[in-house]
């Protein structure tokens, strides 16, 4: 089994805001579930402390990625971009491409995932940005994974 750290960089994290470091020492995670430690409101300066903790995987959950965390995002071995193409949310996905397309060719080394939106919208968005998108099945409760999701999650987590 692997040890995982989930680093939420959301300013208003649902886990609550607390300082990650205390005098240069790492504090305990706010929550631990299934070998995953949850750290809320992590900043780019705090990530090196967590990199040295022996975790097998660090998941950087940035919500809406901003320029401050983009360098950390680029350092990740795998980069998942999850968004929605629903008419009232697609602007956020589009915003990602508008902000960061000058910094890097966003088609290489990235996994693009879409939660909602029609197949037509997904195909159109993929063609516009020259990317491949994968549809994420609806997950009713992310803390209880049903067997129907195993093929999708297995393929998503497979080594490349």
């Amino acid at each position: 089994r692997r040890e995982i750290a989930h680093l939420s960089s959301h300013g208003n994290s649902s886990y609550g805001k607390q300082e990650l470091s205390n005098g240069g020492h790492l504090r305990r995670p706010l929550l631990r579930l299934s070998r995953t430690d949850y750290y809320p409101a992590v900043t780019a300066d705090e990530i090196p402390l967590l990199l040295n903790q022996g975790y097998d995987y660090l998941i950087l959950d940035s919500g809406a990625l901003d320029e401050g965390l983009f360098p950390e995002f680029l350092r990740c071995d795998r980069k998942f971009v999850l968004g929605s193409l629903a008419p009232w949310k697609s602007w956020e996905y589009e915003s990602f491409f508008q902000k960061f397309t000058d910094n890097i060719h966003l088609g290489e080394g990235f996994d693009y995932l879409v939660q909602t939106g029609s197949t037509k919208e997904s195909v159109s968005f993929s063609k516009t940005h020259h990317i491949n998108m994968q549809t994420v099945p609806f997950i009713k409760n992310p803390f209880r994974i049903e067997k129907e999701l195993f093929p999708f999650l297995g393929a998503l987590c497979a080594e490349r």
Side-chain angles (χ1 to χ4, degrees):
R1 295 183 130 227
R2 306 283 186 181
E3 293 291 321
I4 301 167
H6 178 269
L7 317 179
S8 174
S9 64
H10 306 253
N12 296 319
S13 171
S14 59
Y15 306 127
K17 186 163 178 75
Q18 59 183 18
E19 294 299 316
L20 182 64
S21 59
N22 180 7
H25 299 287
L26 189 67
R27 62 148 167 84
R28 292 178 32 184
L30 182 64
L31 175 67
R32 181 170 177 87
L33 289 172
S34 301
R35 293 186 178 254
T36 302
D37 293 335
Y38 293 86
Y39 294 93
V42 173
T43 66
D45 293 338
E46 296 166 324
I47 291 173
L49 290 171
L50 287 154
L51 287 172
N52 293 317
Q53 295 303 306
Y55 288 106
D56 297 298
Y57 298 101
L58 273 78
I59 299 170
L60 176 59
D61 179 358
S62 65
L65 189 62
D66 64 23
E67 289 85 357
L69 280 174
F70 193 67
E72 293 302 325
F73 182 64
L74 291 178
R75 287 184 188 95
C76 293
D77 294 330
R78 296 209 40 207
K79 301 157 198 70
F80 295 100
V81 180
L82 173 64
S84 170
L85 293 179
W88 59 92
K89 295 281 282 180
S90 61
W91 66 271
E92 288 180 330
Y93 220 146
E94 187 64 46
S95 174
F96 174 82
F97 284 90
Q98 289 174 355
K99 277 185 191 176
F100 302 115
T101 196
D102 292 340
N103 298 12
I104 187 170
H105 176 60
L106 294 174
E108 298 175 12
F110 286 73
D111 290 282
Y112 297 99
L113 307 169
V114 61
Q115 289 178 304
T116 55
S118 71
T119 302
K120 180 181 173 185
E121 290 166 332
S122 181
V123 168
S124 174
F125 193 89
S126 295
K127 285 182 180 179
T128 299
H129 296 287
H130 310 290
I131 61 170
N132 292 319
M133 296 186 90
Q134 185 175 5
T135 302
V136 175
F138 177 72
I139 301 173
K140 184 173 34 179
N141 179 353
F143 295 105
R144 182 177 175 169
I145 304 300
E146 303 293 331
K147 67 181 176 182
E148 294 83 21
L149 294 170
F150 289 174
F152 168 77
L153 295 173
L156 186 66
C157 295
E159 294 288 330
R160 293 188 175 216

